[in-house]
Amino acid sequence: MYRYDEFDSRFVRERVREFRAQVERRLDGSLTEDEFKPLRLQNGLYLQLHAYMLRIAIPYGTLSSRQLRQLALIADRYDRGYGHFTTRQNLQFNWPKLKDVPDILDLLADVEMHAIQTSGNCIRNVTADHFAGVAADEVEDPRPTAELIRQWSSLHPEFSFLPRKFKIAVTGAEHDRAAIKAHDIGLRILRRPGTGEIGYEVIVGGGLGRTPMIGKVVREFLPRADLLSFLEAIMRVYNLEGRRDNKFKARVKILVHEIGAEEFRRRVEQEFAALDGPSVNADPEEVKRIAAYFAPPPYEELPERSVKLSIAKAAHRDFARFVETNVFAHRVPGYAAVTISLKPIGGVPGDATSEQMRIIAELAERYSFGEIRVTYMQNLVLPHVRNDELFALWEALDAAELATANASLVTDIISCPGLDYCSLATARSIPIAQSLSRRFADGARQREIGPLGIKISGCINACGHHHIGNIGILGLEKNGAEYYQLTLGGDATENAALGERLGPGLAAEEVPDAVEKIVNVYLQERSVGEEFIATYRRLGIAPFRQAFEKGVEGDQHAAH
Amino acid sequence: MAAPKKPPLPVILMANDLIDGEVVFRTATGWSSEPREALIAGNAQAADALEAEGIAEMSRNKVVDAYLVDVVLGENGPQPRHFRERLRTLGPSIRPDLGKQAQSVIEPRGVPHVSL
């Protein structure tokens, strides 16, 4: 894992000290709320419906046991004993007091963490594939790239006041597990055909929110050494030409859309050609230094197959099912990556109690070289578990009610906090997730349905990624009541697609029936081995809409 | 920019406490975390006075984000008409153990759980 050097430590400590003084001046009245608000936001502190909320960056979703324990301690000492993992691999505390936040930030700095640039119109926390360094389909670990971008973008003077927020995601794998096409910039590490040289595919202008867009490729192959100067060229074009007159049209996706991908590309290339590359690009020695922190842990040489695992699977049905859904093949023989679902049936997606955090920290130390990953699906991962030890890990997880075997299944629902916490929300989203989770609680049925991503947002800002959910649910308000719009066919992967609206909005209590009808159409119509999204692509929306409308009409008849 | 539309009467004044962020209600004498203690403005003049107090209290750095909220009057005191503000008087609907609803005197009411 990356370790702060002297410069990093000093930078973070100084920032805490600065914010402590700002909070003091706010509390003694020297700063007004208008003056203070941008300062607190730059330090990740929001004011939500019931209280302040602190959003803590977890760069590229990588945590150590020590860090997770510290988060648990903060949850207990300064919050209400839990935290919420978000769709950008961050952690949010929902109840901190303003007066305590500087102390919280000091505790974070003790474990090399902070909340800088988790809000505001700057380059936000850089996210990455949660199976970074683990996945067999990976060209290269994306985290050194993400860390380099983090260092370059932290307090970058030119990019601290962008037209709007800016999100970057990186993957090093063939299969996109980081939703890179739904980011302002998505980077995919790849090998240049023919030469085998490693570089980047650069995608710009993706994003969700009120105007969802899939990102466009602006460079098919960017040599590794040119990364920062090319990013700088993109940021300059955006900073100069992104719209500042209208907040809702200020994201880079709107610029790319309005001038067209070709023109955007031309302007970026022009800027890139004019930039003094060597003065911007990272020193190769520095890149090497960063990469060294992400060297693989000291794996043992193990046989591919584990007899112990086979025996345990044969003896324990629930364990076998857990392995089937939550265990991911590791590139190193004898190891596996394990998804710890934060989606227990009827639970709050992404929430973890301080006790669970401590248990997971302990298990990571015992079984996974002290390393934990946060996924944008709002789950946690132990990335390096020996196959021989999977059963012992599962038993410990099961005892802590952390062994829900539903990764990527219909109850592995992404949900934003919605109107239960968020001041921007127009409707609640967590209760919808809970009701769907209960409706599809039966494990056998979930496995029969197979991979199916439901994603729920409580407003058009789309933190719950509803546009790229196989089934997307958007909570809105009409005439003083919450209602929900369904979309179908969204996809967050390398085949990224935006969902299509199914029909009129529904009351909360109608959502589970509607989703069930959609699922039933799929189960009836699917070919052997065909996942939901493939069936949807083959059939289009029509049969689903038909079933949905029948349901809506039927309900209306019943109501009259 | 046009002045924001005034909410229908009666209204109460809600805000967040500056120091701890808690939702608070303007009373006859100050601020309370109890909605039932909120001062109720039943006419335009009283509403304007309440709103002015909110602005003054924000400039005194006691509270942030103070604004008028229209309510219906029930036996448990004023209850916001809109579900968003109702949630603010209670706490997260999914965690009855947290927020104001967790304190003994206030019964969760008005915003039903989605029970299916």
Side-chain angles (χ1 to χ4, degrees):
Chain A
M1 280 184 61
Y2 185 73
R3 295 299 310 263
Y4 279 10
D5 61 16
E6 220 175 290
F7 175 81
D8 296 316
S9 302
R10 201 170 56 232
F11 161 67
V12 172
R13 287 289 179 198
E14 276 171 9
R15 184 61 177 258
V16 176
R17 233 181 346 259
E18 181 186 68
F19 189 59
R20 186 180 290 282
Q22 289 162 345
V23 170
E24 277 165 17
R25 280 186 286 147
R26 176 70 186 117
L27 292 178
D28 73 15
S30 326
L31 288 174
T32 66
E33 183 62 13
D34 285 347
E35 289 163 336
F36 180 66
K37 190 176 172 181
L39 303 175
R40 70 166 157 77
L41 287 176
Q42 281 164 16
N43 290 285
L45 188 64
Y46 289 72
L47 183 62
Q48 294 287 33
L49 275 190
H50 312 291
Y52 290 102
M53 178 271 279
L54 183 66
R55 181 182 293 155
I56 295 160
I58 300 172
Y60 33 87
T62 295
L63 274 176
S64 67
S65 291
R66 180 167 166 254
Q67 291 172 322
L68 190 54
R69 274 197 196 100
Q70 191 81 333
L71 294 171
L73 180 139
I74 293 168
D76 283 340
R77 190 178 294 173
Y78 293 110
D79 210 84
R80 305 284 168 94
Y82 71 105
H84 175 75
F85 290 99
T86 76
T87 52
R88 292 213 76 252
Q89 300 177 321
N90 293 315
L91 180 88
Q92 294 181 176
F93 285 125
N94 291 307
W95 307 91
K97 293 176 168 43
L98 175 58
K99 65 180 175 66
D100 294 333
V101 173
D103 292 341
I104 297 174
L105 295 179
D106 259 330
L107 286 173
L108 290 173
D110 289 346
V111 294
E112 306 181 359
M113 295 184 80
H114 60 69
I116 300 165
Q117 291 183 203
T118 59
S119 174
N121 295 335
C122 53
I123 298 174
R124 302 287 188 90
N125 184 34
V126 180
T127 56
D129 183 355
H130 48 265
F131 290 135
V134 169
D137 66 340
E138 189 171 87
V139 172
E140 184 182 279
D141 189 333
R143 291 173 302 164
T145 294
E147 173 58 27
L148 179 65
I149 297 171
R150 185 183 78 82
Q151 296 194 12
W152 162 79
S153 63
S154 292
L155 260 59
H156 193 302
E158 195 177 329
F159 308 132
S160 291
F161 295 92
L162 295 169
R164 200 74 180 85
K165 60 184 160 185
F166 204 93
K167 301 175 183 176
I168 302 178
V170 194
T171 180
E174 194 76 21
H175 180 59
D176 179 7
R177 288 171 289 262
I180 64 167
K181 290 182 178 173
H183 280 75
D184 294 286
I185 294 180
L187 295 172
R188 183 167 73 92
I189 301 170
L190 77 175
R191 275 183 201 284
R192 186 173 219 163
T195 66
E197 182 196 353
I198 287 183
Y200 302 97
E201 179 185 49
V202 184
I203 295 163
V204 182
L208 303 174
R210 78 172 57 212
T211 318
M213 302 271 183
I214 299 298
K216 317 285 185 301
V217 176
V218 300
R219 190 53 115 75
E220 280 80 17
F221 185 87
L222 177 73
R224 180 206 289 279
D226 289 334
L227 177 67
L228 294 186
S229 56
F230 196 79
L231 292 182
E232 193 137 328
I234 295 169
M235 298 311 297
R236 282 192 169 183
V237 170
Y238 169 58
N239 206 11
L240 198 63
E241 305 194 38
R243 289 179 59 168
R244 290 172 190 267
D245 61 322
N246 183 342
K247 186 181 171 186
F248 302 129
K249 295 186 174 177
R251 296 287 290 272
V252 70
K253 64 189 172 186
I254 304 291
L255 178 65
V256 173
H257 181 72
E258 282 184 352
I259 66 175
E262 265 320 297
E263 175 60 16
F264 184 82
R265 189 183 172 124
R266 193 190 64 75
R267 292 187 197 183
V268 169
E269 291 292 350
Q270 193 178 20
E271 185 67 40
F272 179 59
L275 270 173
D276 176 20
S279 76
V280 178
N281 288 322
D283 176 351
E285 284 306 308
E286 176 63 8
V287 174
K288 252 190 236 160
R289 185 189 74 89
I290 292 174
Y293 285 109
F294 298 93
Y299 297 118
E300 281 176 54
E301 244 180 76
L302 299 171
E304 186 90 46
R305 287 180 56 88
S306 157
V307 178
K308 219 171 152 185
L309 171 61
S310 304
I311 292 170
K313 270 173 27 180
H316 300 271
R317 209 176 47 175
D318 287 349
F319 171 62
R321 284 174 183 160
F322 179 83
V323 171
E324 201 181 301
T325 52
N326 290 39
V327 171
F328 181 80
H330 202 288
R331 64 182 175 80
V332 176
Y335 287 87
V338 175
T339 298
I340 300 173
S341 170
L342 297 181
K343 321 287 177 67
I345 296 305
V348 177
D351 274 13
T353 65
S354 53
E355 189 52 30
Q356 289 175 324
M357 291 183 207
R358 274 187 284 266
I359 289 167
I360 292 167
E362 164 77 27
L363 293 174
E365 255 163 12
R366 204 182 312 158
Y367 298 114
S368 183
F369 300 100
E371 200 180 317
I372 302 111
R373 306 285 176 80
V374 183
T375 82
Y376 88 86
M377 307 277 298
Q378 303 178 286
N379 292 316
L380 298 177
V381 166
L382 297 188
H384 320 282
V385 182
R386 289 170 57 146
N387 284 337
D388 276 354
E389 295 182 327
L390 283 171
F391 182 66
L393 169 64
W394 174 80
E395 282 189 308
L397 288 173
D398 197 38
E401 295 182 5
L402 283 166
T404 311
N406 65 351
S408 300
L409 299 182
V410 66
T411 58
D412 187 3
I413 298 169
I414 285 185
S415 171
C416 72
L419 197 58
D420 280 301
Y421 293 99
C422 177
S423 63
L424 297 176
T426 42
R428 285 174 290 168
S429 43
I430 297 167
I432 302 297
Q434 291 175 317
S435 63
L436 286 168
S437 171
R438 290 194 194 101
R439 176 64 68 98
F440 291 98
D442 181 59
R445 187 160 175 234
Q446 289 189 55
R447 286 189 300 280
E448 192 205 344
I449 296 165
L452 201 174
I454 298 181
K455 303 184 199 282
I456 309 173
S457 307
C459 79
I460 55 172
N461 294 310
C463 295
H465 292 188
H466 63 278
H467 299 110
I468 50 173
N470 298 159
I471 298 176
I473 302 174
L474 166 62
L476 293 166
E477 179 200 338
K478 192 161 65 181
N479 303 327
E482 296 158 292
Y483 81 104
Y484 298 87
Q485 271 179 2
L486 270 54
T487 47
L488 285 194
D491 186 340
T493 70
E494 62 278 16
N495 307 310
L498 301 172
E500 192 178 341
R501 221 172 112 191
L502 192 60
L506 301 171
E509 55 273 19
E510 296 169 324
V511 171
D513 281 346
V515 170
E516 188 144 26
K517 280 184 192 116
I518 294 162
V519 170
N520 286 340
V521 171
Y522 158 64
L523 291 176
Q524 265 164 35
E525 301 292 334
R526 72 176 167 189
S527 312
V528 178
E530 195 178 48
E531 291 185 6
F532 176 88
I533 189 68
T535 304
Y536 175 85
R537 291 213 168 114
R538 180 167 56 78
L539 296 176
I541 202 167
F544 297 96
R545 187 171 278 156
Q546 211 178 348
F548 175 79
E549 281 170 358
K550 223 185 200 166
V552 173
E553 269 170 36
D555 292 348
Q556 277 168 355
H557 284 306
H560 288 292
Chain B
M1 214 173 88
K5 219 176 116 199
K6 301 239 179 213
L9 301 167
V11 292
I12 60 173
L13 183 70
M14 285 170 69
N16 291 86
D17 182 77
L18 170 68
I19 296 172
D20 60 22
E22 188 176 354
V23 177
V24 288
F25 306 86
R26 188 68 183 167
T27 68
T29 53
W31 294 96
S32 167
S33 58
E34 296 279 339
R36 67 172 69 206
E37 290 173 7
L39 188 67
I40 295 153
N43 59 53
Q45 204 184 354
D48 286 347
L50 205 49
E51 193 170 29
E53 268 182 62
I55 292 165
E57 284 289 282
M58 284 194 282
S59 69
R60 278 181 219 121
N61 301 308
K62 300 280 185 211
V63 295
V64 286
D65 217 11
Y67 56 88
L68 296 177
V69 171
D70 54 315
V71 292
V72 288
L73 304 177
E75 46 187 272
N76 287 323
Q79 187 184 335
R81 256 185 261 266
H82 195 277
F83 59 90
R84 178 185 193 269
E85 305 307 331
R86 229 152 46 225
L87 276 165
R88 293 185 73 206
T89 66
L90 297 170
S93 69
I94 44 148
R95 289 290 302 264
D97 59 321
L98 295 175
K100 298 179 185 302
Q101 61 198 347
Q103 290 144 23
S104 56
V105 286
I106 304 162
E107 293 290 313
R109 61 190 144 80
V111 185
H113 288 257
V114 182
S115 52
L116 302 155

